[in-house]
Amino acid sequence: QEQLVESGGGLVQPGGSLRLSCAASGFTLRYYAIGWFRQAPGREREGVSCISSSEGSTHYAESVKGRFTISRDNVKNTVYLEMNSLKPEDTAVYYCAAKYTDFPAGPLCYTYGMDYWGKGTLVTVSS
């Protein structure tokens, strides 16, 4: 059964760091573009970052640019989101999603009709 599983969320103080993982099972992640999304209470889901399947291009939302880094390890079938200098407004449930495509990453990557979604991991930034 194909699935994505996020992990690495938790409670962190402002200014702290977390690394989220998105592990795929049942399919080979290397052929998929991956997006990270988040949804805060009472707010719509928003795209955070995405990475292409093959040529390694990445895109970041303005709100996280310079603080978050997306990467992938195709051997481990896993994509990561390194989050630094976390702010209270980063508090949300973070989801990863996969789309079978070789399109380069860009602002449209968050609009893809994703093939798979994870169930999310909660990140809370609070003192």
Side-chain angles (χ1 to χ4, degrees), residues 7-42:
S7 62
L11 173 64
V12 63
Q13 292 187 340
S17 299
L18 283 175
R19 188 177 79 157
L20 305 185
S21 298
C22 171
S25 61
F27 67 102
T28 303
L29 208 54
R30 72 175 63 190
Y31 302 116
Y32 290 76
I34 303 299
W36 282 98
F37 299 78
R38 67 186 181 187
Q39 187 166 21

mmCIF file of all heavy atoms in Angstrom, residues 7-42:
data_model
loop_
_atom_site.group_PDB
_atom_site.id
_atom_site.type_symbol
_atom_site.label_atom_id
_atom_site.label_comp_id
_atom_site.label_asym_id
_atom_site.label_seq_id
_atom_site.Cartn_x
_atom_site.Cartn_y
_atom_site.Cartn_z
ATOM 1 N N SER A 7 7.149 12.663 10.160
ATOM 2 C CA SER A 7 7.608 12.555 11.537
ATOM 3 C C SER A 7 8.532 13.721 11.849
ATOM 4 O O SER A 7 8.957 14.443 10.939
ATOM 5 C CB SER A 7 8.326 11.219 11.784
ATOM 6 O OG SER A 7 9.474 11.128 10.960
ATOM 7 N N GLY A 8 8.818 13.897 13.131
ATOM 8 C CA GLY A 8 9.764 14.933 13.540
ATOM 9 C C GLY A 8 9.144 16.170 14.155
ATOM 10 O O GLY A 8 9.858 17.070 14.594
ATOM 11 N N GLY A 9 7.820 16.235 14.163
ATOM 12 C CA GLY A 9 7.183 17.387 14.776
ATOM 13 C C GLY A 9 7.314 17.349 16.292
ATOM 14 O O GLY A 9 7.780 16.379 16.873
ATOM 15 N N GLY A 10 6.913 18.456 16.923
ATOM 16 C CA GLY A 10 6.985 18.530 18.371
ATOM 17 C C GLY A 10 6.893 19.953 18.850
ATOM 18 O O GLY A 10 6.561 20.866 18.085
ATOM 19 N N LEU A 11 7.194 20.120 20.124
ATOM 20 C CA LEU A 11 7.171 21.438 20.758
ATOM 21 C C LEU A 11 8.597 21.999 20.790
ATOM 22 O O LEU A 11 9.518 21.313 21.238
ATOM 23 C CB LEU A 11 6.621 21.323 22.173
ATOM 24 C CG LEU A 11 6.672 22.591 23.035
ATOM 25 C CD1 LEU A 11 5.784 23.675 22.438
ATOM 26 C CD2 LEU A 11 6.253 22.268 24.469
ATOM 27 N N VAL A 12 8.735 23.226 20.325
ATOM 28 C CA VAL A 12 10.049 23.862 20.302
ATOM 29 C C VAL A 12 9.897 25.329 20.677
ATOM 30 O O VAL A 12 8.850 25.935 20.406
ATOM 31 C CB VAL A 12 10.710 23.697 18.909
ATOM 32 C CG1 VAL A 12 9.901 24.381 17.831
ATOM 33 C CG2 VAL A 12 12.145 24.170 18.917
ATOM 34 N N GLN A 13 10.900 25.884 21.297
ATOM 35 C CA GLN A 13 10.863 27.303 21.670
ATOM 36 C C GLN A 13 11.150 28.185 20.459
ATOM 37 O O GLN A 13 11.808 27.753 19.508
ATOM 38 C CB GLN A 13 11.898 27.573 22.754
ATOM 39 C CG GLN A 13 11.576 26.922 24.085
ATOM 40 C CD GLN A 13 12.537 27.357 25.173
ATOM 41 O OE1 GLN A 13 13.641 27.843 24.910
ATOM 42 N NE2 GLN A 13 12.116 27.194 26.419
ATOM 43 N N PRO A 14 10.657 29.410 20.483
ATOM 44 C CA PRO A 14 10.999 30.342 19.402
ATOM 45 C C PRO A 14 12.511 30.441 19.216
ATOM 46 O O PRO A 14 13.264 30.481 20.188
ATOM 47 C CB PRO A 14 10.404 31.662 19.890
ATOM 48 C CG PRO A 14 9.266 31.257 20.769
ATOM 49 C CD PRO A 14 9.734 29.997 21.469
ATOM 50 N N GLY A 15 12.922 30.443 17.950
ATOM 51 C CA GLY A 15 14.341 30.446 17.633
ATOM 52 C C GLY A 15 14.947 29.076 17.495
ATOM 53 O O GLY A 15 16.099 28.947 17.054
ATOM 54 N N GLY A 16 14.197 28.052 17.870
ATOM 55 C CA GLY A 16 14.701 26.691 17.809
ATOM 56 C C GLY A 16 14.594 26.077 16.425
ATOM 57 O O GLY A 16 14.192 26.738 15.458
ATOM 58 N N SER A 17 14.943 24.781 16.348
ATOM 59 C CA SER A 17 14.981 24.069 15.078
ATOM 60 C C SER A 17 14.303 22.711 15.196
ATOM 61 O O SER A 17 14.267 22.118 16.282
ATOM 62 C CB SER A 17 16.432 23.851 14.634
ATOM 63 O OG SER A 17 17.111 25.071 14.439
ATOM 64 N N LEU A 18 13.794 22.259 14.089
ATOM 65 C CA LEU A 18 13.255 20.906 13.956
ATOM 66 C C LEU A 18 13.556 20.419 12.551
ATOM 67 O O LEU A 18 13.672 21.213 11.612
ATOM 68 C CB LEU A 18 11.732 20.896 14.162
ATOM 69 C CG LEU A 18 11.166 20.997 15.574
ATOM 70 C CD1 LEU A 18 9.643 21.099 15.509
ATOM 71 C CD2 LEU A 18 11.582 19.810 16.426
ATOM 72 N N ARG A 19 13.646 19.106 12.409
ATOM 73 C CA ARG A 19 13.754 18.504 11.089
ATOM 74 C C ARG A 19 12.605 17.526 10.897
ATOM 75 O O ARG A 19 12.501 16.545 11.639
ATOM 76 C CB ARG A 19 15.084 17.786 10.875
ATOM 77 C CG ARG A 19 15.266 17.318 9.435
ATOM 78 C CD ARG A 19 16.598 16.670 9.155
ATOM 79 N NE ARG A 19 16.650 15.299 9.607
ATOM 80 C CZ ARG A 19 17.487 14.384 9.111
ATOM 81 N NH1 ARG A 19 18.346 14.714 8.162
ATOM 82 N NH2 ARG A 19 17.493 13.154 9.599
ATOM 83 N N LEU A 20 11.785 17.816 9.917
ATOM 84 C CA LEU A 20 10.679 16.924 9.577
ATOM 85 C C LEU A 20 11.132 15.937 8.516
ATOM 86 O O LEU A 20 11.932 16.274 7.642
ATOM 87 C CB LEU A 20 9.488 17.724 9.063
ATOM 88 C CG LEU A 20 8.950 18.828 9.967
ATOM 89 C CD1 LEU A 20 7.696 19.440 9.339
ATOM 90 C CD2 LEU A 20 8.669 18.324 11.365
ATOM 91 N N SER A 21 10.598 14.730 8.608
ATOM 92 C CA SER A 21 10.862 13.699 7.610
ATOM 93 C C SER A 21 9.551 13.279 6.960
ATOM 94 O O SER A 21 8.502 13.269 7.615
ATOM 95 C CB SER A 21 11.528 12.481 8.255
ATOM 96 O OG SER A 21 12.768 12.809 8.825
ATOM 97 N N CYS A 22 9.650 12.918 5.701
ATOM 98 C CA CYS A 22 8.505 12.405 4.939
ATOM 99 C C CYS A 22 8.979 11.117 4.276
ATOM 100 O O CYS A 22 9.733 11.170 3.298
ATOM 101 C CB CYS A 22 8.057 13.432 3.923
ATOM 102 S SG CYS A 22 6.822 12.861 2.735
ATOM 103 N N ALA A 23 8.576 9.993 4.830
ATOM 104 C CA ALA A 23 9.026 8.702 4.338
ATOM 105 C C ALA A 23 7.950 8.053 3.487
ATOM 106 O O ALA A 23 6.780 7.984 3.887
ATOM 107 C CB ALA A 23 9.386 7.792 5.503
ATOM 108 N N ALA A 24 8.352 7.564 2.329
ATOM 109 C CA ALA A 24 7.419 6.901 1.425
ATOM 110 C C ALA A 24 7.563 5.390 1.534
ATOM 111 O O ALA A 24 8.669 4.872 1.709
ATOM 112 C CB ALA A 24 7.660 7.332 -0.011
ATOM 113 N N SER A 25 6.452 4.712 1.408
ATOM 114 C CA SER A 25 6.465 3.255 1.331
ATOM 115 C C SER A 25 5.483 2.822 0.262
ATOM 116 O O SER A 25 4.465 3.476 0.039
ATOM 117 C CB SER A 25 6.117 2.615 2.676
ATOM 118 O OG SER A 25 4.830 2.994 3.091
ATOM 119 N N GLY A 26 5.818 1.741 -0.420
ATOM 120 C CA GLY A 26 4.942 1.225 -1.460
ATOM 121 C C GLY A 26 5.155 1.847 -2.828
ATOM 122 O O GLY A 26 4.522 1.415 -3.792
ATOM 123 N N PHE A 27 6.013 2.847 -2.923
ATOM 124 C CA PHE A 27 6.342 3.443 -4.214
ATOM 125 C C PHE A 27 7.699 4.128 -4.107
ATOM 126 O O PHE A 27 8.199 4.378 -3.007
ATOM 127 C CB PHE A 27 5.261 4.417 -4.687
ATOM 128 C CG PHE A 27 5.112 5.664 -3.852
ATOM 129 C CD1 PHE A 27 5.643 6.865 -4.282
ATOM 130 C CD2 PHE A 27 4.419 5.647 -2.648
ATOM 131 C CE1 PHE A 27 5.494 8.020 -3.526
ATOM 132 C CE2 PHE A 27 4.272 6.786 -1.885
ATOM 133 C CZ PHE A 27 4.809 7.984 -2.329
ATOM 134 N N THR A 28 8.284 4.412 -5.279
ATOM 135 C CA THR A 28 9.628 4.989 -5.325
ATOM 136 C C THR A 28 9.533 6.495 -5.426
ATOM 137 O O THR A 28 9.066 7.036 -6.423
ATOM 138 C CB THR A 28 10.402 4.429 -6.530
ATOM 139 O OG1 THR A 28 10.443 3.007 -6.434
ATOM 140 C CG2 THR A 28 11.812 4.971 -6.547
ATOM 141 N N LEU A 29 10.040 7.150 -4.397
ATOM 142 C CA LEU A 29 9.868 8.582 -4.281
ATOM 143 C C LEU A 29 10.658 9.372 -5.321
ATOM 144 O O LEU A 29 10.299 10.513 -5.640
ATOM 145 C CB LEU A 29 10.287 9.025 -2.875
ATOM 146 C CG LEU A 29 9.647 10.259 -2.268
ATOM 147 C CD1 LEU A 29 8.139 10.155 -2.274
ATOM 148 C CD2 LEU A 29 10.175 10.488 -0.862
ATOM 149 N N ARG A 30 11.676 8.798 -5.897
ATOM 150 C CA ARG A 30 12.569 9.546 -6.777
ATOM 151 C C ARG A 30 11.868 10.073 -8.015
ATOM 152 O O ARG A 30 12.367 11.002 -8.648
ATOM 153 C CB ARG A 30 13.759 8.699 -7.186
ATOM 154 C CG ARG A 30 13.458 7.586 -8.171
ATOM 155 C CD ARG A 30 14.722 6.891 -8.610
ATOM 156 N NE ARG A 30 15.389 6.244 -7.498
ATOM 157 C CZ ARG A 30 16.609 5.728 -7.570
ATOM 158 N NH1 ARG A 30 17.293 5.832 -8.696
ATOM 159 N NH2 ARG A 30 17.156 5.140 -6.539
ATOM 160 N N TYR A 31 10.737 9.492 -8.370
ATOM 161 C CA TYR A 31 10.019 9.936 -9.562
ATOM 162 C C TYR A 31 8.966 10.999 -9.253
ATOM 163 O O TYR A 31 8.212 11.405 -10.136
ATOM 164 C CB TYR A 31 9.361 8.745 -10.236
ATOM 165 C CG TYR A 31 10.342 7.660 -10.621
ATOM 166 C CD1 TYR A 31 10.278 6.400 -10.038
ATOM 167 C CD2 TYR A 31 11.349 7.908 -11.541
ATOM 168 C CE1 TYR A 31 11.179 5.406 -10.370
ATOM 169 C CE2 TYR A 31 12.260 6.927 -11.887
ATOM 170 C CZ TYR A 31 12.173 5.673 -11.299
ATOM 171 O OH TYR A 31 13.075 4.695 -11.625
ATOM 172 N N TYR A 32 8.928 11.426 -8.000
ATOM 173 C CA TYR A 32 7.866 12.317 -7.558
ATOM 174 C C TYR A 32 8.425 13.656 -7.084
ATOM 175 O O TYR A 32 9.437 13.707 -6.373
ATOM 176 C CB TYR A 32 7.087 11.684 -6.404
ATOM 177 C CG TYR A 32 6.238 10.514 -6.829
ATOM 178 C CD1 TYR A 32 6.811 9.280 -7.088
ATOM 179 C CD2 TYR A 32 4.866 10.655 -6.979
ATOM 180 C CE1 TYR A 32 6.035 8.205 -7.501
ATOM 181 C CE2 TYR A 32 4.082 9.589 -7.380
ATOM 182 C CZ TYR A 32 4.677 8.367 -7.641
ATOM 183 O OH TYR A 32 3.905 7.311 -8.031
ATOM 184 N N ALA A 33 7.755 14.723 -7.474
ATOM 185 C CA ALA A 33 7.976 16.014 -6.835
ATOM 186 C C ALA A 33 7.290 15.971 -5.472
ATOM 187 O O ALA A 33 6.226 15.356 -5.324
ATOM 188 C CB ALA A 33 7.401 17.141 -7.679
ATOM 189 N N ILE A 34 7.894 16.598 -4.495
ATOM 190 C CA ILE A 34 7.370 16.573 -3.133
ATOM 191 C C ILE A 34 7.105 17.993 -2.647
ATOM 192 O O ILE A 34 7.941 18.883 -2.830
ATOM 193 C CB ILE A 34 8.367 15.908 -2.163
ATOM 194 C CG1 ILE A 34 8.701 14.498 -2.624
ATOM 195 C CG2 ILE A 34 7.787 15.895 -0.740
ATOM 196 C CD1 ILE A 34 7.510 13.575 -2.684
ATOM 197 N N GLY A 35 5.955 18.159 -2.066
ATOM 198 C CA GLY A 35 5.621 19.443 -1.462
ATOM 199 C C GLY A 35 5.388 19.293 0.029
ATOM 200 O O GLY A 35 4.852 18.279 0.474
ATOM 201 N N TRP A 36 5.798 20.300 0.770
ATOM 202 C CA TRP A 36 5.440 20.413 2.183
ATOM 203 C C TRP A 36 4.396 21.525 2.306
ATOM 204 O O TRP A 36 4.554 22.608 1.750
ATOM 205 C CB TRP A 36 6.646 20.771 3.044
ATOM 206 C CG TRP A 36 7.561 19.632 3.346
ATOM 207 C CD1 TRP A 36 8.719 19.304 2.721
ATOM 208 C CD2 TRP A 36 7.380 18.649 4.374
ATOM 209 N NE1 TRP A 36 9.275 18.192 3.292
ATOM 210 C CE2 TRP A 36 8.479 17.762 4.317
ATOM 211 C CE3 TRP A 36 6.413 18.436 5.355
ATOM 212 C CZ2 TRP A 36 8.631 16.678 5.189
ATOM 213 C CZ3 TRP A 36 6.563 17.363 6.221
ATOM 214 C CH2 TRP A 36 7.658 16.496 6.128
ATOM 215 N N PHE A 37 3.359 21.218 3.043
ATOM 216 C CA PHE A 37 2.272 22.154 3.282
ATOM 217 C C PHE A 37 2.057 22.260 4.790
ATOM 218 O O PHE A 37 2.498 21.385 5.547
ATOM 219 C CB PHE A 37 0.976 21.647 2.630
ATOM 220 C CG PHE A 37 1.061 21.497 1.133
ATOM 221 C CD1 PHE A 37 1.700 20.393 0.567
ATOM 222 C CD2 PHE A 37 0.498 22.440 0.294
ATOM 223 C CE1 PHE A 37 1.781 20.251 -0.804
ATOM 224 C CE2 PHE A 37 0.564 22.302 -1.083
ATOM 225 C CZ PHE A 37 1.214 21.194 -1.627
ATOM 226 N N ARG A 38 1.355 23.289 5.209
ATOM 227 C CA ARG A 38 1.009 23.389 6.618
ATOM 228 C C ARG A 38 -0.369 24.024 6.765
ATOM 229 O O ARG A 38 -0.819 24.764 5.897
ATOM 230 C CB ARG A 38 2.049 24.200 7.397
ATOM 231 C CG ARG A 38 2.128 25.680 7.030
ATOM 232 C CD ARG A 38 3.289 26.345 7.758
ATOM 233 N NE ARG A 38 3.389 27.758 7.455
ATOM 234 C CZ ARG A 38 4.395 28.543 7.853
ATOM 235 N NH1 ARG A 38 5.390 28.024 8.595
ATOM 236 N NH2 ARG A 38 4.420 29.822 7.536
ATOM 237 N N GLN A 39 -1.005 23.697 7.866
ATOM 238 C CA GLN A 39 -2.313 24.272 8.166
ATOM 239 C C GLN A 39 -2.375 24.606 9.640
ATOM 240 O O GLN A 39 -2.270 23.711 10.494
ATOM 241 C CB GLN A 39 -3.445 23.319 7.781
ATOM 242 C CG GLN A 39 -4.821 23.957 7.924
ATOM 243 C CD GLN A 39 -5.899 23.163 7.227
ATOM 244 O OE1 GLN A 39 -5.752 21.973 6.949
ATOM 245 N NE2 GLN A 39 -7.013 23.811 6.918
ATOM 246 N N ALA A 40 -2.517 25.888 9.919
ATOM 247 C CA ALA A 40 -2.657 26.355 11.284
ATOM 248 C C ALA A 40 -4.140 26.380 11.666
ATOM 249 O O ALA A 40 -4.999 26.452 10.785
ATOM 250 C CB ALA A 40 -2.049 27.746 11.428
ATOM 251 N N PRO A 41 -4.448 26.319 12.954
ATOM 252 C CA PRO A 41 -5.853 26.341 13.382
ATOM 253 C C PRO A 41 -6.583 27.556 12.833
ATOM 254 O O PRO A 41 -6.101 28.689 12.936
ATOM 255 C CB PRO A 41 -5.748 26.398 14.908
ATOM 256 C CG PRO A 41 -4.429 25.773 15.217
ATOM 257 C CD PRO A 41 -3.528 26.168 14.090
ATOM 258 N N GLY A 42 -7.740 27.308 12.215
ATOM 259 C CA GLY A 42 -8.553 28.394 11.704
ATOM 260 C C GLY A 42 -8.058 29.016 10.418
ATOM 261 O O GLY A 42 -8.615 30.037 9.968
#
